Amino acid sequence: MQENSRNGLSPILVIFLISGTLGLMAAIVMLINETKDTPVQTPSSLNNPLPASRPLRDWIADDFELQTLDGETVRLSDFAGRPVFINFWWTGCPPCEEEFPAFQQFLAEQGEDGAIILAVNQAQESPEEIQAFMDRIDVQGIPILLDPNLTMPRLYPYTGFPTTYYINEAGEVTYQKIGTITLEQLYSYLAESET
């Protein structure tokens, strides 16, 4: 009888094999789900990591001055007293593209004096390239800002795209969202800052 049990697989060994296989499958599923919201990086950002010289929240937002696609100058201080979302993106970033319809709807619902989204292109793309992208995805009414010298990462550090900062009415950076931001999340940041 002892000889037969030595030749077969022990029930304990079978349990360990099954649980190990299930654990490996669970780890793979978790890894796949985690990478869905992972920010995308440009080729240049992979070679030149950005300095994280600031905390990611709870500081007074620095003013800046950038140009729109039409050459108009925009400053953060132009929106003093209003909630502001600063979104860092580029045209080759699929998660960035997913956000733009939500941005368009959000801005339309906010009206002239409500919260604003400033979409700052970070790939040194030309106004023509960006406009062609906006036309392709059929989105309008979003203030697109150019940062050809990449000065913004020194003021608002990020590690990938998209990244969005939320600045409340008092000019304080209160949230940083890495990855795609949804319409519901835009409204939840507004609601949380009002409490």
Side-chain angles (χ1 to χ4, degrees):
M1 273 223 210
Q2 287 182 339
E3 221 172 278
N4 285 343
S5 66
R6 286 186 184 168
N7 291 337
L9 287 177
S10 162
I12 294 175
L13 181 58
V14 170
I15 291 171
F16 279 123
L17 287 173
I18 291 172
S19 64
T21 304
L22 291 175
L24 180 60
M25 288 172 36
I28 290 170
V29 168
M30 288 171 44
L31 183 61
I32 289 169
N33 284 335
E34 184 177 302
T35 58
K36 284 183 182 175
D37 200 31
T38 301
V40 176
Q41 295 184 320
T42 63
S44 63
S45 70
L46 293 172
N47 296 330
N48 302 312
L50 301 168
S53 58
R54 300 211 94 140
L56 300 181
R57 54 181 286 170
D58 298 327
W59 43 275
I60 299 298
D62 288 296
D63 200 7
F64 57 83
E65 181 177 299
L66 296 173
Q67 304 291 314
T68 66
L69 293 179
D70 299 327
E72 178 186 340
T73 299
V74 173
R75 294 172 190 83
L76 178 61
S77 54
D78 295 340
F79 307 99
R82 291 171 64 183
V84 177
F85 292 90
I86 301 174
N87 175 262
F88 296 107
W89 71 286
W90 68 296
T91 63
C93 164
C96 301
E97 182 176 335
E98 290 173 22
E99 296 178 318
F100 276 90
F103 291 173
Q104 178 177 279
Q105 181 180 345
F106 179 79
L107 289 170
E109 293 169 354
Q110 289 299 304
E112 291 291 317
D113 298 322
I116 187 78
I117 298 172
L118 303 174
V120 184
N121 182 272
Q122 290 292 283
Q124 299 172 309
E125 295 170 295
S126 72
E128 296 77 22
E129 289 174 296
I130 296 169
Q131 189 59 60
F133 169 80
M134 300 303 287
D135 292 343
R136 181 180 62 77
I137 65 171
D138 193 28
V139 171
Q140 304 141 21
I142 301 170
I144 304 293
L145 304 181
L146 304 173
D147 186 18
N149 299 319
L150 297 178
T151 58
M152 291 296 283
R154 290 176 187 83
L155 302 176
Y156 301 90
Y158 60 83
T159 56
F161 301 101
T163 294
T164 304
Y165 279 93
Y166 174 67
I167 301 168
N168 67 17
E169 294 92 334
E172 302 162 333
V173 175
T174 57
Y175 295 102
Q176 181 203 49
K177 170 72 167 77
I178 301 171
T180 307
I181 191 167
T182 65
L183 183 64
E184 293 76 22
Q185 289 170 329
L186 291 168
Y187 276 108
S188 73
Y189 292 143
L190 282 182
E192 286 180 34
S193 72
E194 291 172 0
T195 58

